[in-house]
Amino acid sequence: MHLWVGESPKALDAEEPELLNYFTDFIFETGKKLAGGVDLAIANKGGLRTNLPAGKFSKGHIINMVPFANYINVIDVKGSDLLDVFDVMAMTDGNGVSRNVAVKYSKDDDGDEAEAEEVLVNGRRIDPDKTYRVATIDYLAKGGDYMTGLTHGKLVAASKVPVYDSLLEYLDTNKGRTIGGDARPRWTLVED
């Protein structure tokens, strides 16, 4: 017997923007509740391990999709450290960012160097001297995936349950809503 927890109008590929966007927006919304507001959210592509099928999906699908015992963290981090993190993410052609973020990045011909040329949060460039409140997962907050800039942040709040339980709770709270929607890439490669 399956415990159905939600549905998707189509199959969602863990390698495509739509599922990653949904997941990062979920982290954004959860971070806002944990800390009373956040500026943006960041998630890593590698955190999504499997696709979601079209139609109904079960609790098992969610646990398989985000199987790690990670927790959502909200941290305060300086803009200069955050810009370093965006440069790291540019090396992998971007990771998950919340819906209020748009990034333009460049890479050299060999793919050895990358730079986030423009990072907009709510339509404004990140200010290196400002402190930003970021929702993410503890793995990244501790410098995972080479995001060492996040380790300079200060922990503000943390979820009490692993990410998969937070996502299941989110789905339960938002009954009638389906996973999916925003398939727009939030990272744009700037060609020279």
Side-chain angles (χ1 to χ4, degrees):
M1 183 173 96
H2 292 287
L3 178 57
W4 303 115
V5 295
E7 63 182 291
S8 175
K10 61 182 179 181
L12 295 173
D13 189 326
E15 303 290 321
E16 296 296 322
E18 190 168 359
L19 187 56
L20 185 60
N21 287 348
Y22 178 89
F23 182 65
T24 312
D25 289 343
F26 144 73
I27 291 173
F28 183 67
E29 294 301 326
T30 304
K32 286 198 301 192
K33 288 181 182 171
L34 286 170
V38 295
D39 294 305
L40 68 149
I42 295 172
N44 58 329
K45 291 189 260 192
L48 297 177
R49 305 310 279 191
T50 62
N51 305 331
L52 272 184
K56 291 181 180 179
F57 55 84
S58 69
K59 179 177 180 178
H61 285 113
I62 295 296
I63 293 171
N64 287 334
M65 185 180 80
V66 285
F68 306 109
N70 293 317
Y71 292 79
I72 295 173
N73 280 189
V74 177
I75 59 173
D76 282 347
V77 63
K78 196 170 176 183
S80 56
D81 291 320
L82 200 49
L83 288 169
D84 289 343
V85 168
F86 275 93
D87 284 342
V88 168
M89 290 192 288
M91 286 296 297
T92 61
D93 296 308
N95 273 287
V97 293
S98 49
R99 64 182 162 267
N100 63 326
V101 178
V103 186
K104 291 182 181 174
Y105 72 103
S106 61
K107 290 179 95 168
D108 68 5
D109 292 337
D110 300 327
D112 296 332
E113 297 287 328
E115 180 183 8
E117 293 189 4
E118 181 182 77
V119 182
L120 301 177
V121 177
N122 295 321
R124 293 194 175 127
R125 285 181 179 267
I126 286 183
D127 179 346
D129 297 319
K130 183 181 170 189
T131 297
Y132 291 84
R133 187 154 285 181
V134 180
T136 189
I137 59 171
D138 60 339
Y139 170 72
L140 298 180
K142 293 174 185 171
D145 283 1
Y146 306 101
M147 296 190 200
T148 54
L150 295 179
T151 65
H152 303 143
K154 178 184 171 216
L155 182 65
V156 174
S159 63
K160 295 186 180 349
V161 297
V163 170
Y164 48 78
D165 281 336
S166 291
L167 183 52
L168 289 165
E169 192 176 294
Y170 181 77
L171 287 164
D172 189 53
T173 303
N174 295 291
K175 285 218 181 287
R177 292 178 59 185
T178 57
I179 282 186
D182 182 9
R184 173 187 58 86
R186 296 171 180 177
W187 288 76
T188 305
L189 180 61
V190 177
E191 302 290 346
D192 290 336

